[in-house]
Each structure stands twice: as structure tokens, then as C-alpha cells.
Amino acid sequence: MTDQVQVGFVGLGTIAETHLSVLAERHDAAIQFTVDPHVTKPVSFRGTKPPHYGRLEDALSAHRPDLIVLATPTDTHADLTVQALTQSSARVLVEKPLVHDLDSLAHLRSLPRTVEVQERVFVAHHFAFSPEVRWAAEQIAENPQWGPVTGITSAFHDPYILRGEQAFTSYISSWTDSGVNQLSTLARFVDLTALTSAQQLDDGASAWCTAAYLSRGITGTARLRTSWLTGTSSKETALTFGESGVDIWIDHTSMTGFTARGGTLLATHGNDGLTPRKVAHYRPLYASLLSTRPDPVMSFGTAVTLTELHHATPPGDVSL
């Protein structure tokens, strides 16, 4: 996409504000139209008001976008993706997660080869683009002498318990909501191979899962904790390199991190405090998407792997 990319934007909820803000910064992109059945007024974009529609099919009958962004509820993703693929020639960026169940994933994978699902569908795994995650990935790439990642612990907490039943209606469970973010983050560092255990706790408000992965040919285990039982947001991931005694700790909430070996500090990553967290995620995401070689972490193939892991039911799965 070397010329100005014409974007059709579908879904004008809360996350759309971040998408549109980042796209407004890019002069290689323009909003061609917006779609949302629950919104009647056009949105402003760089001083203009693109045409607005209640249905995607109406928009596609009048426009030929280069890119369609789907920022709608997860249970609408599969049908809208099929519609975008079959009624246009546009590439499609789907908000994470790609789909809400394995049947929907199977439906997308069964589409005819001529639809080019593999080549045209991308997923906004935005946590993988967070500054501290990219910094940690660079640390690992630049220091092969550290050896494989031998252990991972990740804990994502959100204060959704304060929302009561609304939280379960909107987000289903802590694992449903945060698991895909954890898995896409880990995909930056290791090759995930299987969800090896999963426990739904506190009626879905918390979860404890483990996942197997490969790192430099060595098998390791990632321990994944998600929970809404907190009064504030807190998200952290720790990587251990057992052969060299190195640890990387990253704080996704503050977008900071450090690397240490025993009592010695090896490297740090700070934050200027000026950029909102999600903007810091989506700026590099769109830079990659609109380049000639989009990052594989957004690819349909990666989304298939993460979706299958996210929805896996390992033997011994329990609810407490």
C-alpha cells in the first residue's frame, strides 16, 4: 500500500476512538466510510465527516476500500469478515480476538482458496506491539548467549469485579477477555504449542492456566493468571533464562521493564508518560500493517494458533 490507503471502519464503540486517533495521525490513510447500526451521525475525521452507514453491505455497494477495520463485538467478527472478504477486494483488520468460538474459526478456514483468507485477514493483537513487549523481544534477539526462555509467569488483573454482572455480560470471563492478550504477548518471545491446563476460578472472574512452548529448541511452561478480583489494573510478565541466570520483567500497565542477572541490573526500559497506553500499542501496529511486510504476529496463521490455544479444553480442566 504505497498510496493513501482508503479505510472502511466498522464499529464505533470505545476502542474505535483509539483506532481513529492513530489513523488520523497517518497521512497515508484516510477514512472512506464508517459503519455502525447503533450510531446515526457521521464521525469527524481530520476535519471531515466520512459517509456513514448502518450496514456494511450498503457501504460496500458504494465504495471500494483498500482496508476494512472491524472493531465490533467479537461474536460479529466471523460473519463480518466473510462479508468483507466476499464483497470487496480489501484487506481486513479484525479486532482481537479473531472469533468467539472454534466453529467460527473453522468456518473462516473453510472458505475457498480464491477468497485469500491467509493473505487478506489480519488481527489486531495489540499487546504484542506494546513498547515494553517490543523492547523485551529486542533484548532476547540481541543476546542469544542468554539461552532459551526456561520459564514464564504472566498475570493480568482488571478491576471488572466492580462492575458486577455487567462484567460477565460484556467480557464473559477473565480468561476469555485477557487470555488472548497474554498469548499474543508470549508469541513475541516463544513458539506456543499447547494449553496444558486450565482452571476457571471464582465463577469465571479468575483463571489459572499453563501453556507449553518452545524456545531455542527447549520446551518450557508458561504460567498464566487472569483475574478481575482487584481494585485497579495491573499486568505483568516475567521471563526466566535459567541457563544464564537472566530475568526480564515487564510491566504492561506502566509500559516499563528491566533485565537483571542476580543482583546486577543489565538494562531498563522507561516511559515518557505522554502517550496513552493503547495509542502506544496501535501506532506501531498500524505502521506495520500499512507497510509492505506486516508483522507475522497479526497474520491469520498466528490468529488460528492463538484461537485454538485460547479455546482449548485440556484434560483435567476444572472450575472452582
Side-chain angles (χ1 to χ4, degrees):
M1 294 185 179
T2 55
D3 298 325
Q4 191 176 59
V5 177
Q6 298 298 308
V7 181
F9 201 92
V10 186
L12 296 175
T14 302
I15 194 59
E17 297 176 8
T18 300
H19 281 271
L20 294 173
S21 174
V22 170
L23 285 169
E25 299 172 350
R26 301 191 60 90
H27 294 289
D28 57 353
I31 300 298
Q32 190 177 71
F33 63 81
T34 59
V35 176
D36 194 312
H38 306 295
V39 175
T40 57
K41 295 182 179 180
V43 299
S44 294
F45 182 80
R46 289 206 295 254
T48 67
K49 291 189 176 181
H52 179 74
Y53 300 86
R55 301 190 307 168
L56 178 57
E57 61 183 305
D58 295 334
L60 293 180
S61 68
H63 303 277
R64 298 183 64 183
D66 302 307
L67 172 68
I68 296 173
V69 178
L70 302 179
T72 58
T74 304
D75 60 1
T76 68
H77 287 179
D79 289 343
L80 288 172
T81 298
V82 172
Q83 191 174 350
L85 290 172
T86 57
Q87 297 182 20
S88 80
S89 60
R91 298 200 293 177
V92 184
L93 175 66
V94 186
E95 251 303 330
K96 60 82 190 174
L98 173 61
V99 291
H100 69 295
D101 60 27
L102 293 176
D103 287 342
S104 297
L105 179 65
H107 178 49
L108 289 179
R109 298 181 74 179
S110 70
L111 292 176
R113 182 67 185 86
T114 53
V115 175
E116 299 182 312
V117 177
Q118 293 278 353
E119 295 79 6
R120 293 171 60 194
V121 174
F122 300 85
V123 180
H125 293 133
H126 62 89
F127 260 89
F129 289 89
S130 186
E132 78 286 351
V133 172
R134 291 184 291 121
W135 169 80
E138 290 169 2
Q139 289 277 300
I140 295 171
E142 293 170 0
N143 293 279
Q145 71 276 12
W146 291 347
V149 179
T150 55
I152 301 174
T153 301
S154 181
F156 277 42
H157 292 80
D158 287 292
Y160 295 160
I161 197 65
L162 302 176
R163 302 185 185 185
E165 286 302 314
Q166 179 191 1
F168 293 96
T169 300
S170 300
Y171 305 113
I172 311 301
S173 72
S174 69
W175 176 246
T176 298
D177 182 52
S178 293
V180 66
N181 290 333
Q182 290 179 309
L183 294 171
S184 61
T185 295
L186 299 193
R188 273 281 185 236
F189 312 129
V190 297
D191 295 321
L192 293 161
T193 57
L195 192 70
T196 50
S197 69
Q199 298 178 53
Q200 294 287 336
L201 311 171
D202 305 307
D203 297 322
S206 301
W208 176 256
C209 301
T210 59
Y213 64 81
L214 288 174
S215 175
R216 302 186 188 278
I218 301 299
T219 299
T221 296
R223 303 183 299 175
L224 309 173
R225 166 70 171 170
T226 64
S227 181
W228 295 343
L229 303 181
T230 177
T232 188
S233 176
S234 175
K235 299 177 176 67
E236 302 170 355
T237 299
L239 309 173
T240 299
F241 300 79
E243 294 182 2
S244 59
V246 171
D247 295 289
I248 297 179
W249 179 87
I250 48 179
D251 185 326
H252 306 290
T253 306
S254 64
M255 295 186 292
T256 59
F258 66 82
T259 303
R261 179 187 284 115
T264 303
L265 184 66
L266 301 179
T268 64
H269 175 74
N271 177 14
D272 61 14
L274 301 176
T275 306
R277 184 169 61 85
K278 287 187 178 179
V279 170
H281 292 194
Y282 282 88
R283 277 177 179 165
L285 186 153
Y286 271 107
S288 178
L289 178 68
L290 299 180
S291 71
T292 56
R293 297 182 66 182
D295 195 307
V297 79
M298 286 188 290
S299 70
F300 182 75
T302 297
V304 168
T305 297
L306 298 184
T307 301
E308 290 179 336
L309 289 173
H310 192 205
H311 291 277
T313 305
D317 179 35
V318 299
S319 298
L320 300 178

